[in-house]
Amino acid sequence: MLQLFMPLGFLGFVYREIKSSLANIERLFALLDRQPKVSDKSDARDLEVNTSTLSFNAVGFSYDDSRPILRDVSFSIMGGEKVAVVGASGAGKSTLVKLLFRFYDPESGSVTIDGQDLRDLSQRSVRRQIAIVPQDCVLFNDTLRENIRYGNPEADDDELLKAIATAHLEDFVARLPKGLDTVVGERGLKLSGGERQRVGIARAAIKDAPILVFDEATSSLDSRSEQAVLDAFSSMAQQHTTLVIAHRLSTVIDADRIVVLHSGKVVEQGKHHDLLLENGYYSQLWQAQQRRSEQD
Ligand code: ATP
């Protein structure tokens, strides 16, 4: 979703918007998506978080009436669990995240957090409880410190350092001559894909929200950077209700559950080994990816 090509003028607008309103990463996400807004009900309540259990209940959705995108999708992520959604390109994985952020409402069924239907809640209160690590973390021409603080502009230095530790960025920061005051982004220091994604993890960590969404990068990082990202992410995921949108099955074999989407329908769900034993669609996807990585 964040990989859209955007004219620089629009990025400038986004940057100013964020600076001026001290908005967080979800606001950026919403701006980039530029979809018609779903508005709050006049009597919308604030989300009351308990165990942070997230559920998609028989969700049906289409962007336009002509083509169903999600069909009868049901799965839950209990508080503290890590669930991965996998499936071919176009299966509907990112659409699930858009519904979770309430850029759209389902046509049928519901999305709930701790039993509360998102349609009855204020969007602000829902988005406050969800942190996202996007596929490609957009860096602004500003210091590394400020780039991380976009996740929570009110965070103090202790929270900042904690987020840097969670994202395993300490050694990286220590190697920079100006440390956290180093300017990054287009006109500053260029970061590698893995470093950018770890800045995304630090942004999410500093937000300190109970629900975490990790949109895995499609383009592969070299294996050392990928391991660094995965290590940072798993230390964070342990304390969260986590939804991973996965492109490489090898990165989610430790998930509590894997939900397999095919043309907008959940065709299988379970643990990696059980799904392999079923010898169904997941097993086909797994074998195809194994063959591809052997060829590389
Ligand atoms: P990928 O792995 O390539 O990111 P995905 O599984 O995340 O794919 P989605 O991005 O959820 O798939 O898209 C599901 C389907 O919905 C695709 O056919 C896509 O073309 C369509 N789609 C996505 N966004 C929109 C939109 N804003 N308007 C119309 N159709 C859309």
Side-chain angles (χ1 to χ4, degrees):
M1 268 185 269
L2 287 178
Q3 291 176 317
L4 304 176
F5 172 78
M6 286 170 299
L8 283 176
F10 180 63
L11 258 188
F13 159 71
V14 172
Y15 180 73
R16 284 189 299 279
E17 178 76 13
I18 284 178
K19 280 296 240 188
S20 64
S21 64
L22 294 180
N24 58 22
I25 189 68
E26 278 72 65
R27 180 145 176 77
L28 166 65
F29 205 48
L31 283 167
L32 295 184
D33 218 60
R34 285 192 286 173
Q35 303 298 343
K37 281 224 158 73
V38 168
S39 46
D40 284 352
K41 282 184 178 171
S42 57
D43 58 347
R45 291 178 287 110
D46 280 352
L47 169 65
E48 282 174 31
V49 170
N50 181 11
T51 59
S52 314
T53 293
L54 168 64
S55 298
F56 290 86
N57 312 298
V59 168
F61 176 75
S62 59
Y63 289 98
D64 51 60
D65 292 339
S66 62
R67 192 163 60 105
I69 300 294
L70 296 175
R71 292 179 287 165
D72 200 22
V73 169
S74 292
F75 68 93
S76 289
I77 314 176
M78 305 301 167
E81 270 190 338
K82 172 169 148 185
V83 169
V85 178
V86 305
S89 178
K93 304 181 294 292
S94 304
T95 303
L96 288 172
V97 179
K98 292 184 195 173
L99 295 182
L100 175 60
F101 275 90
R102 219 169 150 231
F103 295 153
Y104 303 92
D105 282 333
E107 272 163 22
S108 51
S110 63
V111 184
T112 59
I113 297 175
D114 287 335
Q116 299 153 80
D117 191 323
L118 299 194
R119 281 171 293 212
D120 299 329
L121 303 172
S122 66
Q123 292 171 66
R124 202 183 161 74
S125 72
V126 172
R127 291 177 188 171
R128 201 184 297 138
Q129 304 298 341
I130 309 170
I132 183 158
V133 181
Q135 289 194 12
D136 198 3
C137 174
V138 178
L139 295 179
F140 302 109
N141 284 302
D142 208 332
T143 60
L144 185 57
R145 178 193 311 279
E146 289 309 312
N147 266 283
I148 294 172
R149 279 162 45 91
Y150 283 123
N152 175 6
E154 273 135 52
D156 61 25
D157 276 357
D158 275 357
E159 290 164 312
L160 179 70
L161 294 178
K162 221 168 116 200
I164 288 168
T166 303
H168 296 196
L169 276 171
E170 289 152 309
D171 291 350
F172 170 73
V173 175
R175 282 196 306 273
L176 299 173
K178 289 191 177 171
L180 284 168
D181 295 318
T182 306
V183 173
V184 296
E186 272 306 299
R187 274 175 267 139
L189 181 76
K190 306 274 184 303
L191 270 56
S192 72
E195 289 157 356
R196 275 207 312 279
Q197 202 158 30
R198 277 185 288 145
V199 171
I201 292 174
R203 268 184 193 165
I206 208 169
K207 184 168 178 186
D208 198 24
I211 298 174
L212 177 63
V213 177
F214 184 65
D215 198 357
E216 186 187 72
T218 30
S219 53
S220 58
L221 305 170
D222 68 68
S223 53
R224 225 170 121 237
S225 319
E226 176 162 314
Q227 203 48 53
V229 169
L230 290 175
D231 288 349
F233 180 70
S234 20
S235 61
M236 191 175 169
Q238 275 161 16
Q239 298 114 43
H240 292 76
T241 299
T242 306
L243 172 63
V244 184
I245 302 298
H247 300 282
R248 268 155 297 139
L249 306 184
S250 56
T251 60
V252 291
I253 51 182
D254 66 332
D256 293 304
R257 205 158 45 260
I258 298 172
V259 174
V260 188
L261 267 191
H262 184 38
S263 303
K265 270 189 93 75
V266 176
V267 288
E268 290 167 83
Q269 54 176 308
K271 281 189 182 288
H272 171 74
H273 284 290
D274 296 334
L275 290 173
L276 284 186
L277 288 175
E278 275 183 31
N279 220 3
Y281 183 61
Y282 179 83
S283 157
Q284 282 173 26
L285 288 176
W286 175 257
Q287 281 160 24
Q289 287 206 354
Q290 293 297 101
R291 277 196 296 276
R292 269 202 302 275
S293 59
E294 276 160 24
Q295 282 160 12
D296 288 344

mmCIF file with all atom_site columns, all heavy atoms in Angstrom, residues 91-114:
data_model
loop_
_atom_site.group_PDB
_atom_site.id
_atom_site.type_symbol
_atom_site.label_atom_id
_atom_site.label_alt_id
_atom_site.label_comp_id
_atom_site.label_asym_id
_atom_site.label_entity_id
_atom_site.label_seq_id
_atom_site.pdbx_PDB_ins_code
_atom_site.Cartn_x
_atom_site.Cartn_y
_atom_site.Cartn_z
_atom_site.occupancy
_atom_site.B_iso_or_equiv
_atom_site.pdbx_formal_charge
_atom_site.auth_seq_id
_atom_site.auth_comp_id
_atom_site.auth_asym_id
_atom_site.auth_atom_id
_atom_site.pdbx_PDB_model_num
ATOM 1   N N   . ALA A 1 91  ? -4.826  -11.780 -3.472 1.00 0.00 ? 91  ALA A N   1
ATOM 2   C CA  . ALA A 1 91  ? -5.761  -12.641 -2.725 1.00 0.00 ? 91  ALA A CA  1
ATOM 3   C C   . ALA A 1 91  ? -6.633  -11.848 -1.759 1.00 0.00 ? 91  ALA A C   1
ATOM 4   O O   . ALA A 1 91  ? -7.698  -12.317 -1.356 1.00 0.00 ? 91  ALA A O   1
ATOM 5   C CB  . ALA A 1 91  ? -4.983  -13.715 -1.964 1.00 0.00 ? 91  ALA A CB  1
ATOM 6   N N   . GLY A 1 92  ? -6.171  -10.638 -1.368 1.00 0.00 ? 92  GLY A N   1
ATOM 7   C CA  . GLY A 1 92  ? -6.989  -9.810  -0.476 1.00 0.00 ? 92  GLY A CA  1
ATOM 8   C C   . GLY A 1 92  ? -6.326  -9.515  0.870  1.00 0.00 ? 92  GLY A C   1
ATOM 9   O O   . GLY A 1 92  ? -6.988  -8.995  1.779  1.00 0.00 ? 92  GLY A O   1
ATOM 10  N N   . LYS A 1 93  ? -5.046  -9.791  0.987  1.00 0.00 ? 93  LYS A N   1
ATOM 11  C CA  . LYS A 1 93  ? -4.357  -9.641  2.283  1.00 0.00 ? 93  LYS A CA  1
ATOM 12  C C   . LYS A 1 93  ? -4.355  -8.180  2.753  1.00 0.00 ? 93  LYS A C   1
ATOM 13  O O   . LYS A 1 93  ? -4.735  -7.880  3.879  1.00 0.00 ? 93  LYS A O   1
ATOM 14  C CB  . LYS A 1 93  ? -2.905  -10.159 2.178  1.00 0.00 ? 93  LYS A CB  1
ATOM 15  C CG  . LYS A 1 93  ? -2.825  -11.603 1.690  1.00 0.00 ? 93  LYS A CG  1
ATOM 16  C CD  . LYS A 1 93  ? -1.414  -12.115 1.619  1.00 0.00 ? 93  LYS A CD  1
ATOM 17  C CE  . LYS A 1 93  ? -0.524  -11.447 0.584  1.00 0.00 ? 93  LYS A CE  1
ATOM 18  N NZ  . LYS A 1 93  ? -0.926  -11.735 -0.824 1.00 0.00 ? 93  LYS A NZ  1
ATOM 19  N N   . SER A 1 94  ? -3.921  -7.265  1.872  1.00 0.00 ? 94  SER A N   1
ATOM 20  C CA  . SER A 1 94  ? -3.861  -5.853  2.280  1.00 0.00 ? 94  SER A CA  1
ATOM 21  C C   . SER A 1 94  ? -5.258  -5.289  2.525  1.00 0.00 ? 94  SER A C   1
ATOM 22  O O   . SER A 1 94  ? -5.430  -4.378  3.339  1.00 0.00 ? 94  SER A O   1
ATOM 23  C CB  . SER A 1 94  ? -3.183  -5.006  1.199  1.00 0.00 ? 94  SER A CB  1
ATOM 24  O OG  . SER A 1 94  ? -1.928  -5.520  0.920  1.00 0.00 ? 94  SER A OG  1
ATOM 25  N N   . THR A 1 95  ? -6.233  -5.825  1.821  1.00 0.00 ? 95  THR A N   1
ATOM 26  C CA  . THR A 1 95  ? -7.607  -5.354  2.011  1.00 0.00 ? 95  THR A CA  1
ATOM 27  C C   . THR A 1 95  ? -8.059  -5.610  3.460  1.00 0.00 ? 95  THR A C   1
ATOM 28  O O   . THR A 1 95  ? -8.756  -4.783  4.055  1.00 0.00 ? 95  THR A O   1
ATOM 29  C CB  . THR A 1 95  ? -8.541  -6.041  0.995  1.00 0.00 ? 95  THR A CB  1
ATOM 30  O OG1 . THR A 1 95  ? -8.045  -5.755  -0.325 1.00 0.00 ? 95  THR A OG1 1
ATOM 31  C CG2 . THR A 1 95  ? -9.967  -5.541  1.113  1.00 0.00 ? 95  THR A CG2 1
ATOM 32  N N   . LEU A 1 96  ? -7.614  -6.713  4.031  1.00 0.00 ? 96  LEU A N   1
ATOM 33  C CA  . LEU A 1 96  ? -7.952  -6.989  5.434  1.00 0.00 ? 96  LEU A CA  1
ATOM 34  C C   . LEU A 1 96  ? -7.429  -5.880  6.341  1.00 0.00 ? 96  LEU A C   1
ATOM 35  O O   . LEU A 1 96  ? -8.108  -5.442  7.266  1.00 0.00 ? 96  LEU A O   1
ATOM 36  C CB  . LEU A 1 96  ? -7.327  -8.322  5.875  1.00 0.00 ? 96  LEU A CB  1
ATOM 37  C CG  . LEU A 1 96  ? -7.943  -9.601  5.319  1.00 0.00 ? 96  LEU A CG  1
ATOM 38  C CD1 . LEU A 1 96  ? -7.079  -10.805 5.702  1.00 0.00 ? 96  LEU A CD1 1
ATOM 39  C CD2 . LEU A 1 96  ? -9.357  -9.780  5.854  1.00 0.00 ? 96  LEU A CD2 1
ATOM 40  N N   . VAL A 1 97  ? -6.206  -5.411  6.043  1.00 0.00 ? 97  VAL A N   1
ATOM 41  C CA  . VAL A 1 97  ? -5.615  -4.342  6.864  1.00 0.00 ? 97  VAL A CA  1
ATOM 42  C C   . VAL A 1 97  ? -6.402  -3.045  6.687  1.00 0.00 ? 97  VAL A C   1
ATOM 43  O O   . VAL A 1 97  ? -6.648  -2.308  7.631  1.00 0.00 ? 97  VAL A O   1
ATOM 44  C CB  . VAL A 1 97  ? -4.123  -4.143  6.516  1.00 0.00 ? 97  VAL A CB  1
ATOM 45  C CG1 . VAL A 1 97  ? -3.515  -3.019  7.341  1.00 0.00 ? 97  VAL A CG1 1
ATOM 46  C CG2 . VAL A 1 97  ? -3.346  -5.426  6.723  1.00 0.00 ? 97  VAL A CG2 1
ATOM 47  N N   . LYS A 1 98  ? -6.844  -2.785  5.441  1.00 0.00 ? 98  LYS A N   1
ATOM 48  C CA  . LYS A 1 98  ? -7.627  -1.557  5.201  1.00 0.00 ? 98  LYS A CA  1
ATOM 49  C C   . LYS A 1 98  ? -8.937  -1.605  5.993  1.00 0.00 ? 98  LYS A C   1
ATOM 50  O O   . LYS A 1 98  ? -9.403  -0.586  6.485  1.00 0.00 ? 98  LYS A O   1
ATOM 51  C CB  . LYS A 1 98  ? -7.917  -1.385  3.716  1.00 0.00 ? 98  LYS A CB  1
ATOM 52  C CG  . LYS A 1 98  ? -6.664  -1.077  2.910  1.00 0.00 ? 98  LYS A CG  1
ATOM 53  C CD  . LYS A 1 98  ? -7.030  -0.815  1.466  1.00 0.00 ? 98  LYS A CD  1
ATOM 54  C CE  . LYS A 1 98  ? -5.825  -0.856  0.561  1.00 0.00 ? 98  LYS A CE  1
ATOM 55  N NZ  . LYS A 1 98  ? -6.185  -0.766  -0.850 1.00 0.00 ? 98  LYS A NZ  1
ATOM 56  N N   . LEU A 1 99  ? -9.526  -2.792  6.107  1.00 0.00 ? 99  LEU A N   1
ATOM 57  C CA  . LEU A 1 99  ? -10.762 -2.893  6.891  1.00 0.00 ? 99  LEU A CA  1
ATOM 58  C C   . LEU A 1 99  ? -10.463 -2.714  8.377  1.00 0.00 ? 99  LEU A C   1
ATOM 59  O O   . LEU A 1 99  ? -11.246 -2.098  9.103  1.00 0.00 ? 99  LEU A O   1
ATOM 60  C CB  . LEU A 1 99  ? -11.449 -4.253  6.668  1.00 0.00 ? 99  LEU A CB  1
ATOM 61  C CG  . LEU A 1 99  ? -11.976 -4.522  5.256  1.00 0.00 ? 99  LEU A CG  1
ATOM 62  C CD1 . LEU A 1 99  ? -12.661 -5.884  5.198  1.00 0.00 ? 99  LEU A CD1 1
ATOM 63  C CD2 . LEU A 1 99  ? -12.962 -3.448  4.806  1.00 0.00 ? 99  LEU A CD2 1
ATOM 64  N N   . LEU A 1 100 ? -9.328  -3.233  8.814  1.00 0.00 ? 100 LEU A N   1
ATOM 65  C CA  . LEU A 1 100 ? -8.952  -3.098  10.221 1.00 0.00 ? 100 LEU A CA  1
ATOM 66  C C   . LEU A 1 100 ? -8.750  -1.624  10.581 1.00 0.00 ? 100 LEU A C   1
ATOM 67  O O   . LEU A 1 100 ? -9.150  -1.173  11.646 1.00 0.00 ? 100 LEU A O   1
ATOM 68  C CB  . LEU A 1 100 ? -7.682  -3.917  10.487 1.00 0.00 ? 100 LEU A CB  1
ATOM 69  C CG  . LEU A 1 100 ? -7.076  -3.801  11.875 1.00 0.00 ? 100 LEU A CG  1
ATOM 70  C CD1 . LEU A 1 100 ? -8.065  -4.245  12.946 1.00 0.00 ? 100 LEU A CD1 1
ATOM 71  C CD2 . LEU A 1 100 ? -5.804  -4.634  11.969 1.00 0.00 ? 100 LEU A CD2 1
ATOM 72  N N   . PHE A 1 101 ? -8.152  -0.865  9.665  1.00 0.00 ? 101 PHE A N   1
ATOM 73  C CA  . PHE A 1 101 ? -7.961  0.565   9.904  1.00 0.00 ? 101 PHE A CA  1
ATOM 74  C C   . PHE A 1 101 ? -9.215  1.363   9.580  1.00 0.00 ? 101 PHE A C   1
ATOM 75  O O   . PHE A 1 101 ? -9.243  2.568   9.669  1.00 0.00 ? 101 PHE A O   1
ATOM 76  C CB  . PHE A 1 101 ? -6.779  1.096   9.091  1.00 0.00 ? 101 PHE A CB  1
ATOM 77  C CG  . PHE A 1 101 ? -5.471  0.886   9.791  1.00 0.00 ? 101 PHE A CG  1
ATOM 78  C CD1 . PHE A 1 101 ? -4.758  -0.273  9.594  1.00 0.00 ? 101 PHE A CD1 1
ATOM 79  C CD2 . PHE A 1 101 ? -4.993  1.829   10.682 1.00 0.00 ? 101 PHE A CD2 1
ATOM 80  C CE1 . PHE A 1 101 ? -3.559  -0.484  10.256 1.00 0.00 ? 101 PHE A CE1 1
ATOM 81  C CE2 . PHE A 1 101 ? -3.801  1.627   11.352 1.00 0.00 ? 101 PHE A CE2 1
ATOM 82  C CZ  . PHE A 1 101 ? -3.076  0.458   11.139 1.00 0.00 ? 101 PHE A CZ  1
ATOM 83  N N   . ARG A 1 102 ? -10.205 0.675   9.132  1.00 0.00 ? 102 ARG A N   1
ATOM 84  C CA  . ARG A 1 102 ? -11.515 1.255   8.783  1.00 0.00 ? 102 ARG A CA  1
ATOM 85  C C   . ARG A 1 102 ? -11.413 2.324   7.696  1.00 0.00 ? 102 ARG A C   1
ATOM 86  O O   . ARG A 1 102 ? -12.063 3.363   7.756  1.00 0.00 ? 102 ARG A O   1
ATOM 87  C CB  . ARG A 1 102 ? -12.204 1.795   10.026 1.00 0.00 ? 102 ARG A CB  1
ATOM 88  C CG  . ARG A 1 102 ? -13.658 1.483   9.927  1.00 0.00 ? 102 ARG A CG  1
ATOM 89  C CD  . ARG A 1 102 ? -14.499 1.688   11.100 1.00 0.00 ? 102 ARG A CD  1
ATOM 90  N NE  . ARG A 1 102 ? -15.823 2.024   10.577 1.00 0.00 ? 102 ARG A NE  1
ATOM 91  C CZ  . ARG A 1 102 ? -16.514 3.075   10.967 1.00 0.00 ? 102 ARG A CZ  1
ATOM 92  N NH1 . ARG A 1 102 ? -16.073 3.893   11.876 1.00 0.00 ? 102 ARG A NH1 1
ATOM 93  N NH2 . ARG A 1 102 ? -17.691 3.294   10.416 1.00 0.00 ? 102 ARG A NH2 1
ATOM 94  N N   . PHE A 1 103 ? -10.583 2.043   6.680  1.00 0.00 ? 103 PHE A N   1
ATOM 95  C CA  . PHE A 1 103 ? -10.642 2.873   5.478  1.00 0.00 ? 103 PHE A CA  1
ATOM 96  C C   . PHE A 1 103 ? -11.919 2.518   4.726  1.00 0.00 ? 103 PHE A C   1
ATOM 97  O O   . PHE A 1 103 ? -12.424 3.289   3.934  1.00 0.00 ? 103 PHE A O   1
ATOM 98  C CB  . PHE A 1 103 ? -9.428  2.641   4.582  1.00 0.00 ? 103 PHE A CB  1
ATOM 99  C CG  . PHE A 1 103 ? -8.127  3.072   5.205  1.00 0.00 ? 103 PHE A CG  1
ATOM 100 C CD1 . PHE A 1 103 ? -6.941  2.479   4.838  1.00 0.00 ? 103 PHE A CD1 1
ATOM 101 C CD2 . PHE A 1 103 ? -8.093  4.081   6.161  1.00 0.00 ? 103 PHE A CD2 1
ATOM 102 C CE1 . PHE A 1 103 ? -5.746  2.876   5.405  1.00 0.00 ? 103 PHE A CE1 1
ATOM 103 C CE2 . PHE A 1 103 ? -6.903  4.485   6.735  1.00 0.00 ? 103 PHE A CE2 1
ATOM 104 C CZ  . PHE A 1 103 ? -5.726  3.874   6.360  1.00 0.00 ? 103 PHE A CZ  1
ATOM 105 N N   . TYR A 1 104 ? -12.392 1.311   4.975  1.00 0.00 ? 104 TYR A N   1
ATOM 106 C CA  . TYR A 1 104 ? -13.659 0.842   4.406  1.00 0.00 ? 104 TYR A CA  1
ATOM 107 C C   . TYR A 1 104 ? -14.384 0.035   5.475  1.00 0.00 ? 104 TYR A C   1
ATOM 108 O O   . TYR A 1 104 ? -13.748 -0.462  6.402  1.00 0.00 ? 104 TYR A O   1
ATOM 109 C CB  . TYR A 1 104 ? -13.424 -0.111  3.222  1.00 0.00 ? 104 TYR A CB  1
ATOM 110 C CG  . TYR A 1 104 ? -12.607 0.461   2.103  1.00 0.00 ? 104 TYR A CG  1
ATOM 111 C CD1 . TYR A 1 104 ? -11.232 0.294   2.075  1.00 0.00 ? 104 TYR A CD1 1
ATOM 112 C CD2 . TYR A 1 104 ? -13.217 1.157   1.062  1.00 0.00 ? 104 TYR A CD2 1
ATOM 113 C CE1 . TYR A 1 104 ? -10.470 0.809   1.038  1.00 0.00 ? 104 TYR A CE1 1
ATOM 114 C CE2 . TYR A 1 104 ? -12.459 1.674   0.025  1.00 0.00 ? 104 TYR A CE2 1
ATOM 115 C CZ  . TYR A 1 104 ? -11.089 1.506   0.023  1.00 0.00 ? 104 TYR A CZ  1
ATOM 116 O OH  . TYR A 1 104 ? -10.350 2.013   -1.001 1.00 0.00 ? 104 TYR A OH  1
ATOM 117 N N   . ASP A 1 105 ? -15.700 -0.118  5.299  1.00 0.00 ? 105 ASP A N   1
ATOM 118 C CA  . ASP A 1 105 ? -16.465 -1.029  6.144  1.00 0.00 ? 105 ASP A CA  1
ATOM 119 C C   . ASP A 1 105 ? -16.786 -2.281  5.346  1.00 0.00 ? 105 ASP A C   1
ATOM 120 O O   . ASP A 1 105 ? -16.955 -2.212  4.122  1.00 0.00 ? 105 ASP A O   1
ATOM 121 C CB  . ASP A 1 105 ? -17.785 -0.371  6.577  1.00 0.00 ? 105 ASP A CB  1
ATOM 122 C CG  . ASP A 1 105 ? -17.563 0.624   7.717  1.00 0.00 ? 105 ASP A CG  1
ATOM 123 O OD1 . ASP A 1 105 ? -16.592 0.435   8.486  1.00 0.00 ? 105 ASP A OD1 1
ATOM 124 O OD2 . ASP A 1 105 ? -18.351 1.574   7.814  1.00 0.00 ? 105 ASP A OD2 1
ATOM 125 N N   . PRO A 1 106 ? -16.906 -3.436  6.029  1.00 0.00 ? 106 PRO A N   1
ATOM 126 C CA  . PRO A 1 106 ? -17.293 -4.657  5.301  1.00 0.00 ? 106 PRO A CA  1
ATOM 127 C C   . PRO A 1 106 ? -18.715 -4.522  4.748  1.00 0.00 ? 106 PRO A C   1
ATOM 128 O O   . PRO A 1 106 ? -19.516 -3.758  5.295  1.00 0.00 ? 106 PRO A O   1
ATOM 129 C CB  . PRO A 1 106 ? -17.267 -5.751  6.373  1.00 0.00 ? 106 PRO A CB  1
ATOM 130 C CG  . PRO A 1 106 ? -16.752 -5.149  7.605  1.00 0.00 ? 106 PRO A CG  1
ATOM 131 C CD  . PRO A 1 106 ? -16.718 -3.665  7.455  1.00 0.00 ? 106 PRO A CD  1
ATOM 132 N N   . GLU A 1 107 ? -18.991 -5.231  3.667  1.00 0.00 ? 107 GLU A N   1
ATOM 133 C CA  . GLU A 1 107 ? -20.370 -5.228  3.141  1.00 0.00 ? 107 GLU A CA  1
ATOM 134 C C   . GLU A 1 107 ? -21.247 -6.186  3.925  1.00 0.00 ? 107 GLU A C   1
ATOM 135 O O   . GLU A 1 107 ? -22.431 -5.990  4.086  1.00 0.00 ? 107 GLU A O   1
ATOM 136 C CB  . GLU A 1 107 ? -20.347 -5.671  1.679  1.00 0.00 ? 107 GLU A CB  1
ATOM 137 C CG  . GLU A 1 107 ? -20.147 -4.507  0.754  1.00 0.00 ? 107 GLU A CG  1
ATOM 138 C CD  . GLU A 1 107 ? -19.714 -4.966  -0.610 1.00 0.00 ? 107 GLU A CD  1
ATOM 139 O OE1 . GLU A 1 107 ? -19.963 -6.137  -0.968 1.00 0.00 ? 107 GLU A OE1 1
ATOM 140 O OE2 . GLU A 1 107 ? -19.099 -4.146  -1.294 1.00 0.00 ? 107 GLU A OE2 1
ATOM 141 N N   . SER A 1 108 ? -20.607 -7.280  4.369  1.00 0.00 ? 108 SER A N   1
ATOM 142 C CA  . SER A 1 108 ? -21.324 -8.212  5.245  1.00 0.00 ? 108 SER A CA  1
ATOM 143 C C   . SER A 1 108 ? -20.352 -8.665  6.323  1.00 0.00 ? 108 SER A C   1
ATOM 144 O O   . SER A 1 108 ? -19.141 -8.547  6.153  1.00 0.00 ? 108 SER A O   1
ATOM 145 C CB  . SER A 1 108 ? -21.849 -9.402  4.444  1.00 0.00 ? 108 SER A CB  1
ATOM 146 O OG  . SER A 1 108 ? -20.806 -9.968  3.683  1.00 0.00 ? 108 SER A OG  1
ATOM 147 N N   . GLY A 1 109 ? -20.898 -9.159  7.422  1.00 0.00 ? 109 GLY A N   1
ATOM 148 C CA  . GLY A 1 109 ? -20.047 -9.576  8.530  1.00 0.00 ? 109 GLY A CA  1
ATOM 149 C C   . GLY A 1 109 ? -19.505 -8.371  9.274  1.00 0.00 ? 109 GLY A C   1
ATOM 150 O O   . GLY A 1 109 ? -19.978 -7.242  9.083  1.00 0.00 ? 109 GLY A O   1
ATOM 151 N N   . SER A 1 110 ? -18.503 -8.603  10.117 1.00 0.00 ? 110 SER A N   1
ATOM 152 C CA  . SER A 1 110 ? -17.970 -7.503  10.926 1.00 0.00 ? 110 SER A CA  1
ATOM 153 C C   . SER A 1 110 ? -16.512 -7.730  11.280 1.00 0.00 ? 110 SER A C   1
ATOM 154 O O   . SER A 1 110 ? -16.012 -8.850  11.207 1.00 0.00 ? 110 SER A O   1
ATOM 155 C CB  . SER A 1 110 ? -18.784 -7.381  12.223 1.00 0.00 ? 110 SER A CB  1
ATOM 156 O OG  . SER A 1 110 ? -18.627 -8.568  12.993 1.00 0.00 ? 110 SER A OG  1
ATOM 157 N N   . VAL A 1 111 ? -15.869 -6.631  11.661 1.00 0.00 ? 111 VAL A N   1
ATOM 158 C CA  . VAL A 1 111 ? -14.521 -6.703  12.230 1.00 0.00 ? 111 VAL A CA  1
ATOM 159 C C   . VAL A 1 111 ? -14.675 -6.192  13.650 1.00 0.00 ? 111 VAL A C   1
ATOM 160 O O   . VAL A 1 111 ? -15.256 -5.121  13.873 1.00 0.00 ? 111 VAL A O   1
ATOM 161 C CB  . VAL A 1 111 ? -13.514 -5.816  11.462 1.00 0.00 ? 111 VAL A CB  1
ATOM 162 C CG1 . VAL A 1 111 ? -12.107 -5.988  12.029 1.00 0.00 ? 111 VAL A CG1 1
ATOM 163 C CG2 . VAL A 1 111 ? -13.525 -6.133  9.971  1.00 0.00 ? 111 VAL A CG2 1
ATOM 164 N N   . THR A 1 112 ? -14.180 -6.980  14.614 1.00 0.00 ? 112 THR A N   1
ATOM 165 C CA  . THR A 1 112 ? -14.335 -6.561  16.013 1.00 0.00 ? 112 THR A CA  1
ATOM 166 C C   . THR A 1 112 ? -12.997 -6.578  16.741 1.00 0.00 ? 112 THR A C   1
ATOM 167 O O   . THR A 1 112 ? -12.108 -7.366  16.413 1.00 0.00 ? 112 THR A O   1
ATOM 168 C CB  . THR A 1 112 ? -15.327 -7.478  16.783 1.00 0.00 ? 112 THR A CB  1
ATOM 169 O OG1 . THR A 1 112 ? -14.841 -8.829  16.730 1.00 0.00 ? 112 THR A OG1 1
ATOM 170 C CG2 . THR A 1 112 ? -16.725 -7.427  16.215 1.00 0.00 ? 112 THR A CG2 1
ATOM 171 N N   . ILE A 1 113 ? -12.884 -5.710  17.717 1.00 0.00 ? 113 ILE A N   1
ATOM 172 C CA  . ILE A 1 113 ? -11.765 -5.763  18.673 1.00 0.00 ? 113 ILE A CA  1
ATOM 173 C C   . ILE A 1 113 ? -12.406 -5.908  20.042 1.00 0.00 ? 113 ILE A C   1
ATOM 174 O O   . ILE A 1 113 ? -13.277 -5.109  20.418 1.00 0.00 ? 113 ILE A O   1
ATOM 175 C CB  . ILE A 1 113 ? -10.886 -4.499  18.612 1.00 0.00 ? 113 ILE A CB  1
ATOM 176 C CG1 . ILE A 1 113 ? -10.230 -4.374  17.230 1.00 0.00 ? 113 ILE A CG1 1
ATOM 177 C CG2 . ILE A 1 113 ? -9.815  -4.535  19.711 1.00 0.00 ? 113 ILE A CG2 1
ATOM 178 C CD1 . ILE A 1 113 ? -9.428  -3.098  17.007 1.00 0.00 ? 113 ILE A CD1 1
ATOM 179 N N   . ASP A 1 114 ? -12.007 -6.958  20.743 1.00 0.00 ? 114 ASP A N   1
ATOM 180 C CA  . ASP A 1 114 ? -12.621 -7.286  22.036 1.00 0.00 ? 114 ASP A CA  1
ATOM 181 C C   . ASP A 1 114 ? -14.154 -7.225  21.957 1.00 0.00 ? 114 ASP A C   1
ATOM 182 O O   . ASP A 1 114 ? -14.825 -6.642  22.809 1.00 0.00 ? 114 ASP A O   1
ATOM 183 C CB  . ASP A 1 114 ? -12.096 -6.356  23.144 1.00 0.00 ? 114 ASP A CB  1
ATOM 184 C CG  . ASP A 1 114 ? -10.660 -6.703  23.512 1.00 0.00 ? 114 ASP A CG  1
ATOM 185 O OD1 . ASP A 1 114 ? -10.248 -7.868  23.302 1.00 0.00 ? 114 ASP A OD1 1
ATOM 186 O OD2 . ASP A 1 114 ? -9.946  -5.824  23.999 1.00 0.00 ? 114 ASP A OD2 1
#
